[in-house]
Amino acid sequence: MSQPQKLDRFDALVPREPFVNPWQPDGTYVPDFKLLELLLGAAIGTEQSSGIVAGATDVWAAEELRRAGFEADDVWPRRESPRVLPRDVREFVERGLTRKLRAEIEGRYNMPGARRALPAEARVMGSAYLKQGDVVIASWATGVEVLISTKTMLSSYAKNLRNRFEEGYGDAKNLRGRHPLSALGFLFVVGADISHDELGFAVDMLRKLRSEPDVYDCSCLLILDEEQMTDIKDRDLSGATFAQEGTLRPPGAVVKLDLDRAPEDLSAGVFFRRLVEKALSHMPVDVYEQVRQRQAHARS
């Protein structure tokens, strides 16, 4: 199963506009943690190697950028297939064609030939190698504007934690070398069973990943607290079902976030505020107008 197909299970859980404005009068950003818990509840219980838990995190981070005010279809993964559709292609189809031609082309997006032509994943060229961007805003004219690299680790911390941050540090240098003006963020999700020492190492490394000019602009730590679900009657699932291995099932667990164990400077609110500030700082004032309007509306 490809990564875009893995995201299909989350489509029914993602709310549509109008969004609740995440920006506050004092400039802080309030993420939608309930959505993340719901998405992860639909993913917990799958093999970590399947990428479904990471996919839930990608879907949530993409939704947070939309809530911040970025154009919905500019953010990859998109809410529907194809998950990656270049802005320039989309605008040509939407504005440059008759309704008949537009409907015909949009009807072909998911045909085998179109799947080979449209990128299934957002692969970004760095200074040394191609890197898959988990959550991306980009265009042909500007290149990468925003990129979030998400990593999840729910077990085997002693074995793999250092390797994960070695990868992250190398990816940061690779991306920043070619995209010095892009807003780059690193979002790391761990389980509640991570030990005190392992958590301390993760916190130290996440801070180091943003401590130099040529790495990430911001980093975030999210800690899960998984609890097996025994009763879903009071859980608002909005009629959604979840496909896994050809069967229908409800989410296998209630997932809660332990927001107290992560330091404030690595919180999701600080992460998205810094990421958006970086993106705005390198764009003219007439770009990202909706982001600026939502911020202004919160202050008014």
Side-chain angles (χ1 to χ4, degrees):
M1 186 186 300
S2 68
Q3 180 67 10
Q5 290 174 316
K6 293 172 187 176
L7 303 185
D8 293 347
R9 70 180 57 222
F10 304 119
D11 288 348
L13 300 178
V14 175
R16 295 300 190 256
E17 298 187 58
F19 292 119
V20 174
N21 192 347
W23 298 104
Q24 303 301 298
D26 61 356
T28 57
Y29 183 98
V30 178
D32 184 355
F33 291 119
K34 290 184 179 179
L35 175 60
L36 178 57
E37 291 172 344
L38 187 58
L39 292 169
L40 288 168
I44 292 296
T46 61
E47 293 283 342
Q48 185 164 336
S49 59
S50 70
I52 294 174
V53 175
T57 308
D58 296 345
V59 169
W60 175 72
E63 284 304 307
E64 287 301 328
L65 292 181
R66 295 184 183 104
R67 292 180 69 235
F70 292 99
E71 181 68 30
D73 278 336
D74 283 355
V75 183
W76 306 333
R78 297 171 69 240
R79 287 171 168 166
E80 59 187 8
S81 185
R83 300 295 176 177
V84 176
L85 183 63
R87 179 188 302 162
D88 311 79
V89 173
R90 190 187 79 244
E91 290 186 349
F92 172 71
V93 172
E94 292 179 352
R95 303 179 185 181
L97 301 177
T98 64
R99 290 183 181 178
K100 181 179 179 180
L101 282 174
R102 175 183 174 183
E104 182 178 347
I105 290 176
E106 289 178 341
R108 291 174 177 263
Y109 278 160
N110 292 310
M111 295 180 67
R115 288 177 182 172
R116 288 192 293 268
L118 291 171
E121 298 172 339
R123 295 192 176 274
V124 174
M125 179 60 74
S127 60
Y129 54 86
L130 273 171
K131 168 73 170 70
Q132 179 183 333
D134 298 305
V135 182
V136 179
I137 299 175
S139 75
W140 290 336
T142 62
V144 176
E145 301 169 21
V146 179
L147 186 147
I148 300 175
S149 180
T150 65
K151 302 290 184 182
T152 60
M153 181 175 290
L154 304 182
S155 62
S156 304
Y157 306 106
K159 180 180 178 181
N160 295 321
L161 193 59
R162 290 183 181 275
N163 292 339
R164 189 68 77 243
F165 282 108
E166 287 177 4
E167 295 169 4
Y169 197 74
D171 287 342
K173 297 283 185 175
N174 175 53
L175 290 168
R176 186 61 74 193
R178 189 174 292 273
H179 308 284
L181 300 182
S182 300
L184 304 179
F186 186 88
L187 196 159
F188 192 49
V189 181
V190 298
D193 58 342
I194 188 170
S195 71
H196 176 78
D197 289 343
E198 291 162 344
L199 181 60
F201 174 78
V203 167
D204 181 57
M205 289 307 302
L206 284 166
R207 287 170 173 161
K208 284 183 168 64
L209 282 177
R210 63 167 197 239
S211 65
E212 301 174 31
D214 58 347
V215 286
Y216 292 102
D217 297 297
C218 51
S219 54
C220 175
L221 175 63
L222 293 171
I223 304 172
L224 307 187
D225 187 1
E226 181 186 344
E227 176 183 327
Q228 291 301 316
M229 182 165 61
T230 58
D231 186 358
I232 63 171
K233 292 181 180 179
D234 60 346
R235 187 79 163 157
D236 180 15
L237 302 178
S238 303
T241 55
F242 305 85
Q244 182 181 12
E245 300 177 352
T247 63
L248 296 178
R249 67 178 182 90
V254 170
V255 174
K256 296 295 183 182
L257 294 168
D258 189 344
L259 301 177
D260 296 328
R261 289 182 71 188
E264 175 64 22
D265 64 301
L266 297 177
S267 68
V270 172
F271 174 82
F272 284 107
R273 176 176 58 80
R274 288 178 175 172
L275 192 73
V276 172
E277 287 175 350
K278 174 69 173 183
L280 294 178
S281 68
H282 288 296
M283 282 294 188
V285 70
D286 59 345
V287 177
Y288 303 145
E289 289 186 9
Q290 189 166 270
V291 179
R292 302 176 198 273
Q293 288 171 3
R294 287 188 184 176
Q295 289 180 317
H297 181 73
R299 292 193 296 266
S300 63

